[in-house]
Amino acid sequence: MSEFTENPFASSHSLDTNPFDDPTTKHVAQNDAHIEDLSRRERDLERREHELNQRAEHIRTHGRNNWPPFYPLIYHAISEEIPEASRPLITRLYQLWLVLLGTLIINMVACIFLLIAGSSDGGKDLGGSIGYVFIIAPLSFLLWYRPIYNGYMKEQALYYYFYFFFGGFHLLFSVYMIIGIPSTGSAGLIQVIQMYAQGHWAAGILCTIATVGWIVQGLGNAFYYRQIWKHHTAAGHTMDKAKSELASHGAKAYFTRG
């Protein structure tokens, strides 16, 4: 039946097609798109090659070391070396260490303003605060952050005990800095009260920021100290294991990654 209803004059070609279109225009557009795609890929390959060359030069100069960025001395890569379940904790500890570093610097600046404000112990405070920047910053990284980083990476008892000892000392130091006893290099609470009472608002505000920094990193470290203690207990780490690891690997193992 369909044979009789079919229009014998119907064209099999679409009426929308313009028979006068120049087919070369379409080919030129396709060629342009292809050339653009090739150019994009070439730029991407050049970028990757440049990055690989930079990494190769970095490894040739510093080995795999990547931290600190301005002069790499150690290899630090939480996403690569720390088990996935523990990465958030170690990341938070690293961020707290960065807060500590920032707090030390702000504390030093606040002590400069204490000296300008005429504090009788301003010189001692400034000297102490400068010493903290150059002593506490690297020692805190090496003595409590790096041990717990290695502890979660290698799961060895020795690192946990290093962390508990020096991390505990750091918590006490944080309380000491929060108090802000004059002539100790701390721009803590006592200094805050004195500066506001004497009308030295700039010094008071800087001392307040420093005090808040000490409180934040102190409370944060105390919170994770407790979590790490629970993990250490659940993992069955003991002092005997730590002594055995020290006897087997020696003190050098404390500084190595293997």
Side-chain angles (χ1 to χ4, degrees):
M1 185 67 179
S2 60
E3 294 178 358
F4 297 102
T5 58
E6 184 178 355
N7 185 354
F9 300 103
S11 172
S12 59
H13 300 285
S14 173
L15 295 177
D16 296 331
T17 303
N18 187 349
F20 300 104
D21 278 345
D22 185 358
T24 59
T25 304
K26 184 177 181 181
H27 291 308
V28 168
Q30 290 177 341
N31 287 337
D32 288 343
H34 183 63
I35 291 172
E36 177 61 28
D37 184 57
L38 288 176
S39 298
R40 181 182 57 79
R41 293 184 182 183
E42 184 178 358
R43 289 193 298 270
D44 188 50
L45 287 173
E46 289 176 353
R47 178 182 58 80
R48 292 183 183 181
E49 182 181 5
H50 180 67
E51 289 176 354
L52 289 173
N53 288 337
Q54 283 186 324
R55 291 181 184 178
E57 178 62 22
H58 180 90
I59 292 173
R60 186 186 68 80
T61 306
H62 305 287
R64 290 193 70 199
N65 296 340
N66 63 353
W67 197 96
F70 56 86
Y71 191 77
L73 296 172
I74 61 174
Y75 186 73
H76 181 266
I78 295 174
S79 61
E80 295 179 15
E81 296 191 305
I82 305 301
E84 185 175 358
S86 304
R87 286 174 196 166
L89 185 147
I90 299 300
T91 300
R92 294 292 179 271
L93 285 175
Y94 181 59
Q95 291 170 343
L96 284 171
W97 182 84
L98 293 175
V99 171
L100 169 64
L101 180 61
T103 301
L104 286 167
I105 294 171
I106 294 171
N107 183 79
M108 181 184 68
V109 175
C111 286
I112 294 175
F113 275 75
L114 287 175
L115 181 62
I116 295 173
S119 172
S120 58
D121 296 308
K124 294 179 181 179
D125 284 321
L126 179 58
S129 66
I130 293 172
Y132 292 150
V133 171
F134 291 100
I135 295 173
I136 298 300
L139 287 184
S140 61
F141 187 92
L142 293 173
L143 295 179
W144 63 260
Y145 172 73
R146 192 63 177 176
I148 201 57
Y149 179 97
N150 285 337
Y152 274 87
M153 177 175 68
K154 305 177 185 180
E155 205 57 58
Q156 294 179 0
L158 179 63
Y159 295 103
Y160 285 89
Y161 283 101
F162 267 110
Y163 166 76
F164 290 133
F165 180 79
F166 291 109
F169 178 81
H170 176 72
L171 292 177
L172 294 176
F173 175 75
S174 297
V175 173
Y176 173 75
M177 296 300 285
I178 289 170
I179 295 172
I181 302 171
S183 79
T184 62
S186 168
L189 285 172
I190 294 176
Q191 302 277 32
V192 170
I193 295 170
Q194 288 183 349
M195 288 301 103
Y196 284 132
Q198 296 171 15
H200 300 298
W201 294 98
I205 291 171
L206 285 168
C207 289
T208 301
I209 296 172
T211 302
V212 170
W214 288 117
I215 292 172
V216 168
Q217 64 85 36
L219 289 177
N221 275 301
F223 174 78
Y224 288 110
Y225 190 96
R226 186 167 178 268
Q227 281 200 344
I228 292 167
W229 181 268
K230 289 181 178 180
H231 171 80
H232 149 81
T233 304
H237 296 308
T238 63
M239 183 60 73
D240 289 336
K241 283 186 178 182
K243 290 178 180 178
S244 176
E245 291 164 4
L246 183 60
S248 301
H249 305 293
K252 184 180 178 182
Y254 175 76
F255 299 99
T256 59
R257 296 172 51 251

